[in-house]
Amino acid sequence: MSSLDSHAGSAPQHGGGHHGSYLTSKGSLWADIANWATTVDHKKIGVMYLTALLILFFLGGVMALAVRFELLEPTRIVINQAGESVTTGQRLAFLASDGATANNIYNRAMTLHGAIMTFMFIVPGIPASLGNFFLPLMIGAKDVAFPRLNLGSWYVYVFGSLFALASALVGGIDTGWTLYTPYSTMTDADHWRLVAMITGVFIMGFSSIMTGLNFVVTVHKLRAPGMGWFDMPLFVWAIYATAIIQVLATPVIGITTLMLIFERLFNFGLFDPRLGGDPVLFQHFFWFYSHPVVYIMILPAFGVISETITVHARKPIFGYRSIAFASLGIAAVSFLVWGHHMFTSQGELTAAIFSFLTFFVAVPTAIKVFNWISTLYKGSIVFNTPMLYTLGFLFLFTIGGLTGLPLATLSTDMHLHDSYYVVAHFHYVMFGGTVIAFLAGLHHWWPKMFGKMYAETPAKLGFWLVFLGFNTTFFIQFIMGAHGMPRRYASYPDEFQWMHIISTVGSWMLLAGFLVHLFTFIHALLQGKTASANPWGGMTLEWHADSPPDEHNFAHEPIVKHGPYAYDRVVPPHTDPAEYPLPEKTDLH
Amino acid sequence: MSTMNPPSGRDMPAGPKPLHETVEKGHHWRTRDDEFDAGKLGMWLFLGTEVLLFAGLFCGYAIMRMLYPEAFANGSHYLNWVYGGANTLILLWSSYTMAAAIRHTQLGDKARAQICLVITWLCALAFLLIKFIFEYGPKWAEGKRPGVLFNYPYAENPMEPMWWSLYYAATGIHASHVVIGMGLIGYLIYRNAKGWYGPKNYLAMENIGLYWHIVDLIWIFLFPLLYLIH
């Protein structure tokens, strides 16, 4: 039995001819540009998001390298022969045009790194690129519910990003990406830059709401006939849960940024103790959005991993329903735990309650991790790049999750608060979680998106460079933080220098890894082998479309007859057995 | 709503069809009903985000009122409930005419729908005129301004700038929604004049109507909080 009814089997049994593909040129270059700029095709918009995201990831990465470069040596103040005090190791000073000190430059680079990576890369990251491309395909739809809104959200995102980046062009801001008051209201020199950054964040919030709203409606209204809620692929479940958080949390950052703009321009006083306000109130508003946002960042990654792990282990996912419900559970809990970012600035009882609630996040998350590992058990694991990244994700995310426990515990958090331990923890979760899963998904779906295979060997080399580089960069920071190295300082005591050197060298390995991936992707686009429709033997609906999919996704509307991971029951159509032999049918369950 | 497909040409009288008879579903929808339901669901989700946006302001109001009850009691004494009450009635009335416009469209009465839409638009204009001419203007001139701009010499409480900050933020963001609503209703008036809306095609009108109701609803919360509670 096929997962599609018979008439869908008449889809072209291709390899080569992609005449109707969404990537087909319209003729001249200008026609192509005009076509892409006004497209309402979710696949093109997904690719446009991917392009914008990768550019911003590059910018954010350069800032990260700059920050790590500055930390190669502790900055010392020395008295020169003329009797003036100068700092040694002003390695970023060439970036200064206005006589800013090394600390200013460092803070601005650090802020820009944080703001780009959170607001502009990780938050829209997987949902807007892979989600836009694959959500409709995976539920058998022709497009998202509101295609024009989808295009609009891309323009709003780009416009908002430019607004925020404009603040960097005129010198940058030094508040940290959290924009905490009073830094964000009292650092006078940064007046307009700050307003530009905050306005950019406000605008990007609209893009996030538009995307989330679109996805919720798409999942509700556009599933293929026969696809019940529990026939949806887990990536769709994850995007759905993410979209709910996007719709419910983002308006709060909207009003918070507006209040911050008013505060900045007119001294409203809501957040200023001299005028009767309370800076902690800003933190409550900020984290009421920004904690759920952590799950906007990680839930889509969970969805990607659920897909890659079952396809590349050739085994039905273990505990489908529990993974689906865990996504919703995480979404629900995410709204109750914002206060754990503020243990040191609130009352003891409040802190204890937030600490208690925070531990609940571990339950649905652990359910997922156990299910993924159970899926691997007795699977026919193929160690290709998506699988390596998937295993890397399990390793790194588990470290990231477990190191969160000492931060959720009040007594240990008092020691670790605002130290490099926190930096290491959230990089393990966000980078080791989301970015690694993003790379897993990118390699997994690359043949589908562009109809070309990437070269496996250099991609694996890229994985090892990224994986080892990441651990070299960030594992040492746990130790550094536990020894008392505070975050957000450009200068530090000499005793930490050897650890910072290891960390900085790791950041260069990461750079090398990403360059290798950039090379493999460009090589795949230019000279890659043509991909078959289903190179991995996946069961979900996107593998029933051509590679790359044609303009309207499917030749016929698919009709779903069983769940998305029925490897034990059927060999999917279009699988290329020469390339990736399927295992013998085994008696699972 | 009806599940019928648009009538085929041979059932229709001769002559060009009105625009609303020619509107087709988007290519990615199975039926026009699906498209209609999706449009409504999307709008309700968006209205949820609007409520959450104002919820932040209401939280700020609640906390500051708790901290400085006297400043807030003083503040609401400065506001004239007559203007606020008049605006409340205007908005309630415009909500009714908006709903009536949708009903007339469903019944195929384009002319009455148009009258109702124009009344709704004029009500929105009246709301803004009262707001700016009788409230913002005189208060701003007296120095009752938000935050750092505050220079009202007879303030009775040092925390009054905070009250004015919240007053201007809440009513200002609400007023900006009224302005956007005027643009949207103007769009409806233009499209209705062209014959875009009819018994089978009124999703845009219904969605903009829902938006207009939420603008009304938020004012109904703002009015007692700012004008009536002492």
Side-chain angles (χ1 to χ4, degrees):
Chain A
M1 190 172 90
S2 156
S3 73
L4 299 181
D5 75 344
S6 54
H7 72 255
S10 61
Q13 301 281 334
H14 40 69
H18 298 305
H19 297 299
S21 134
Y22 80 102
L23 290 170
T24 307
S25 169
K26 298 291 165 197
S28 72
L29 179 66
W30 285 114
D32 279 340
I33 290 175
N35 178 261
W36 278 74
T38 59
T39 184
V40 289
D41 182 352
H42 68 101
K43 299 184 286 299
K44 286 182 184 168
I45 296 169
V47 173
M48 282 153 72
Y49 261 115
L50 189 64
T51 314
L53 285 164
L54 290 179
I55 292 170
L56 286 162
F57 182 70
F58 173 75
L59 288 178
V62 168
M63 288 301 145
L65 288 167
V67 163
R68 283 263 39 113
F69 186 57
E70 167 64 31
L71 290 168
L72 210 49
E73 283 173 37
T75 309
R76 302 183 197 84
I77 294 182
V78 295
I79 311 295
N80 68 8
Q81 288 184 331
E84 303 156 330
S85 59
V86 290
T87 54
T88 62
Q90 274 194 329
R91 283 163 301 277
L92 299 180
F94 65 92
L95 292 172
S97 56
D98 55 356
T101 65
N103 281 338
N104 289 141
I105 302 291
Y106 174 85
N107 284 343
R108 290 172 192 176
M110 181 266 297
T111 301
L112 209 56
H113 165 64
I116 290 177
M117 287 305 197
T118 47
F119 293 125
M120 299 173 221
F121 176 71
I122 294 193
V123 171
I126 295 177
S129 60
L130 298 177
N132 239 327
F133 198 105
F134 288 105
L135 179 93
L137 281 167
M138 288 175 119
I139 60 172
K142 286 183 189 150
D143 208 326
V144 291
F146 309 119
R148 276 183 293 174
L149 191 71
N150 201 16
L151 178 67
S153 80
W154 184 81
Y155 278 106
V156 170
Y157 162 75
V158 170
F159 183 66
S161 299
L162 292 177
F163 232 96
L165 291 177
S167 74
L169 292 181
V170 290
I173 61 170
D174 59 2
T175 62
W177 76 275
T178 51
L179 306 166
Y180 272 1
T181 57
Y183 304 129
S184 52
T185 52
M186 292 180 67
T187 44
D188 282 329
D190 298 330
H191 194 105
W192 288 107
R193 307 168 197 171
L194 248 154
V195 175
M197 173 63 87
I198 303 165
T199 313
V201 172
F202 178 74
I203 294 170
M204 280 184 276
F206 276 102
S207 167
S208 195
I209 288 176
M210 287 151 92
T211 307
L213 191 150
N214 218 337
F215 287 171
V216 171
V217 179
T218 306
V219 171
H220 273 267
K221 296 290 177 192
L222 278 172
R223 279 171 286 134
M227 182 179 274
W229 282 91
F230 293 105
D231 301 323
M232 295 196 311
L234 286 166
F235 182 66
V236 175
W237 268 107
I239 294 288
Y240 178 68
T242 309
I244 290 175
I245 309 178
Q246 279 179 307
V247 171
L248 291 182
T250 315
V252 180
I253 195 72
I255 194 68
T256 311
T257 46
L258 277 183
M259 284 179 181
L260 194 54
I261 293 170
F262 295 152
E263 188 87 9
R264 174 90 227 180
L265 295 178
F266 305 116
N267 281 325
F268 263 26
L270 285 172
F271 308 132
D272 185 347
R274 290 172 310 166
L275 303 171
D278 181 0
V280 179
L281 179 62
F282 176 83
Q283 298 187 20
H284 277 289
F285 277 131
F286 181 81
W287 289 113
F288 189 79
Y289 162 77
S290 293
H291 191 74
V293 142
V294 171
Y295 300 100
I296 294 180
M297 300 175 201
I298 197 68
L299 272 174
F302 290 168
V304 171
I305 295 305
S306 300
E307 295 299 325
T308 53
I309 208 160
T310 172
V311 171
H312 299 281
R314 301 274 190 269
K315 202 167 151 247
I317 192 113
F318 181 88
Y320 168 88
R321 280 189 188 227
S322 56
I323 295 184
F325 280 122
S327 289
L328 295 178
I330 291 172
V333 177
S334 71
F335 282 96
L336 304 176
V337 297
W338 78 91
H340 72 213
H341 295 268
M342 302 139 64
F343 279 159
T344 56
S345 57
Q346 64 193 353
E348 285 173 11
L349 179 65
T350 324
I353 291 170
F354 278 123
S355 169
F356 179 73
L357 289 171
T358 300
F359 286 106
F360 279 109
V361 179
V363 178
T365 316
I367 288 174
K368 281 175 183 271
V369 174
F370 287 134
N371 281 334
W372 291 325
I373 291 171
S374 308
T375 305
L376 290 174
Y377 177 68
K378 282 192 179 176
S380 305
I381 300 171
V382 186
F383 287 101
N384 50 22
T385 313
M387 191 45 146
L388 286 176
Y389 268 113
T390 305
L391 297 175
F393 171 92
L394 289 180
F395 181 78
L396 300 175
F397 185 76
T398 305
I399 294 178
L402 290 177
T403 53
L405 296 178
L407 296 174
T409 311
L410 283 181
S411 51
T412 39
D413 182 67
M414 289 299 149
H415 175 67
L416 297 170
H417 180 83
D418 263 350
S419 74
Y420 262 71
Y421 185 92
V422 180
V423 176
H425 162 69
F426 71 69
H427 277 92
Y428 263 84
V429 176
M430 289 182 188
F431 193 132
T434 309
V435 178
I436 296 292
F438 182 64
L439 287 166
L442 206 54
H443 284 93
H444 176 67
W445 278 311
W446 186 270
K448 177 58 64 186
M449 291 174 88
F450 299 105
K452 300 278 186 182
M453 295 301 295
Y454 60 88
E456 199 67 82
T457 311
K460 282 182 185 167
L461 172 70
F463 164 77
W464 285 110
L465 282 170
V466 168
F467 183 77
L468 296 175
F470 174 79
N471 281 299
T472 312
T473 310
F474 292 104
F475 195 82
I476 194 91
Q477 295 184 2
F478 285 121
I479 300 163
M480 236 193 283
H483 280 82
M485 170 77 208
R487 67 197 273 206
R488 299 186 169 171
Y489 280 82
S491 13
Y492 54 87
D494 291 355
E495 61 184 282
F496 292 111
Q497 188 182 5
W498 67 275
M499 293 194 255
H500 276 296
I501 289 175
I502 291 174
S503 194
T504 302
V505 171
S507 72
W508 297 338
M509 278 171 77
L510 266 177
L511 173 69
F514 284 121
L515 291 178
V516 170
H517 280 315
L518 187 66
F519 163 76
T520 48
F521 284 144
I522 292 174
H523 178 265
L525 284 181
L526 298 179
Q527 296 178 21
K529 228 169 53 161
T530 304
S532 66
N534 192 0
W536 315 122
M539 295 290 301
T540 39
L541 287 179
E542 81 270 28
W543 301 110
H544 292 290
D546 293 352
S547 294
D550 71 31
E551 286 230 54
H552 299 295
N553 293 354
F554 299 99
H556 302 281
E557 184 176 55
I559 294 174
V560 179
K561 295 211 170 139
H562 58 69
Y565 306 111
Y567 290 98
D568 44 348
R569 289 165 58 191
V570 69
V571 174
H574 305 325
T575 308
D576 189 345
E579 240 176 300
Y580 291 93
L582 285 164
E584 291 292 307
K585 191 181 171 204
T586 49
D587 52 340
L588 307 158
H589 308 300
Chain B
M1 93 156 239
S2 159
T3 56
M4 286 195 325
N5 290 319
S8 61
R10 64 166 189 261
D11 300 331
M12 298 295 293
K17 283 190 278 188
L19 267 174
H20 64 85
E21 297 277 359
T22 63
V23 176
E24 287 178 11
K25 67 179 173 63
H27 78 280
H28 56 299
W29 293 102
R30 271 174 229 111
T31 64
R32 290 199 66 195
D33 274 5
D34 279 358
E35 187 176 25
F36 184 86
D37 290 346
K40 290 285 281 288
L41 179 59
M43 194 64 197
W44 278 106
L45 283 169
F46 172 72
L47 297 184
T49 68
E50 287 281 13
V51 169
L52 284 161
L53 179 87
F54 278 93
L57 278 173
F58 288 136
C59 277
Y61 175 91
I63 290 163
M64 291 307 153
R65 184 171 188 105
M66 203 167 63
L67 290 174
Y68 311 112
E70 285 173 17
F72 276 59
N74 278 346
S76 53
H77 276 296
Y78 293 124
L79 298 183
N80 189 339
W81 67 267
V82 175
Y83 300 132
N87 266 344
T88 308
L89 290 178
I90 287 172
L91 275 190
L92 279 172
W93 173 250
S94 73
S95 245
Y96 166 74
T97 53
M98 188 70 227
I102 296 164
R103 187 65 192 146
H104 286 308
T105 305
Q106 286 171 338
L107 297 174
D109 190 342
K110 179 180 139 189
R112 284 219 174 92
Q114 189 73 343
I115 293 170
C116 287
L117 285 174
V118 171
I119 295 174
T120 312
W121 192 89
L122 290 174
C123 283
L125 184 66
F127 177 93
L128 288 178
L129 290 177
I130 291 177
K131 189 98 228 147
F132 281 97
I133 294 173
F134 297 111
E135 300 212 86
Y136 283 176
K139 291 191 177 76
W140 195 272
E142 290 167 31
K144 296 167 182 167
R145 299 174 191 175
V148 73
L149 305 171
F150 183 85
N151 64 352
Y152 182 57
Y154 312 110
E156 290 165 33
N157 190 300
M159 287 305 158
E160 273 178 31
M162 175 94 75
W163 152 266
W164 289 110
S165 299
L166 274 168
Y167 167 79
Y168 280 104
T171 57
I173 294 174
H174 178 264
S176 71
H177 279 75
V178 175
V179 172
I180 292 167
M182 284 177 73
L184 293 172
I185 295 165
Y187 166 82
L188 286 182
I189 291 170
Y190 172 77
R191 299 265 284 197
N192 192 48
K194 296 264 179 190
W196 272 93
Y197 303 117
K200 284 180 197 141
N201 185 46
Y202 56 90
L203 175 64
M205 195 181 280
E206 188 150 16
N207 273 345
I208 291 171
L210 285 172
Y211 170 85
W212 192 246
H213 296 321
I214 205 107
V215 171
D216 183 19
L217 189 72
I218 287 165
W219 178 256
I220 287 174
F221 278 90
L222 287 177
F223 175 55
L225 282 182
L226 297 173
Y227 291 78
L228 300 182
I229 304 176
H230 291 316

